[in-house]
Amino acid sequence: MQDIVVDPVAHNRAAWDKYVQEGNEWSRPVSAEDVERARMGDWSIVLIGREPVDRSWLPTDLTGKDVLCLASGGGQQGPILAAAGARVTVFDNSPRQLGQDQMVAARDGLELRTVLGDMRDLSAFGDATFDVVFHPVSNLFVPDLAVVWRECFRALRPGGTLLAGFLNPDAYLFDHEALDERGELIVVHKLPYSDVTQYSAEERATKFGADAALEYSHTLTGQIGGQLAAGFVLTGFAEAPHQSNASAQYMSNYFATLAVKPG
């Protein structure tokens, strides 16, 4: 393809900034009522699809726990966890996504820190800084995973937990237009898939829009095996259908893992 060399960080930062302006589903902040309920102990957050994460995957009492919401801007998970008592840091590649968290924090009087950066580089944080890393479906926006898991492992305290959501790589087998426009599952792509290597910039602009975020499929070896290679012990697994995709009636589009850094 013509433009294999592309900076996914810069491109996807601009893409997600635009998605926020357009009202993307994952950029719509929680309400003040949601925050108030969370303060009273009535809360839920999503890790994959629209299904609430299993509360047993998180500490029973979040009070004083240091939580990193990794690539998790948008004013959704971070504010709820902060209202539930956690000391929250939201780390995201998009300034506008972080702006949603800042808006909720200011509106509802929450203590919440935001940090801009690439999920593959957590050098802003020291070793053993967090008790929990909450990483919803977002690593499809970076081309390599191993460093993400290593950085999560380093930044967690012994006994800390990583909650990670990720896309089923099989979702990339299908023709995008046929699936979205007609609900047809037509296999056209080999795996692993990448927007950058599969299409030229001109083809991407035609199919997805010139400003669309770049996506990369990752193998289950990279997702699950990568966590194990980083030193994690997996203690939980879940799956969910896509919230709106026609393939949801045939397959689980999302997977989630609970992993522990041995103490």
Side-chain angles (χ1 to χ4, degrees), residues 70 122 133 147-156 162 232:
L70 179 60
L122 303 183
V133 173
V147 66
V148 176
W149 305 133
R150 291 196 299 268
E151 283 287 86
C152 288
F153 190 86
R154 180 190 62 77
L156 275 168
L162 165 67
F232 285 105

Side-chain angles (χ1 to χ4, degrees), residues 135-194:
H135 181 45
V137 180
S138 56
N139 63 34
L140 68 158
F141 299 115
V142 294
D144 48 330
L145 282 184
V147 66
V148 176
W149 305 133
R150 291 196 299 268
E151 283 287 86
C152 288
F153 190 86
R154 180 190 62 77
L156 275 168
R157 295 179 177 128
T161 53
L162 165 67
L163 287 74
F166 48 91
L167 193 65
N168 181 344
D170 288 352
Y172 286 101
L173 290 169
F174 307 111
D175 178 78
H176 169 80
E177 293 169 303
L179 186 61
D180 287 353
E181 296 176 9
R182 302 186 299 278
E184 297 177 357
L185 277 68
I186 301 176
V187 175
V188 294
H189 298 133
K190 292 182 179 180
L191 301 181
Y193 167 92
S194 161

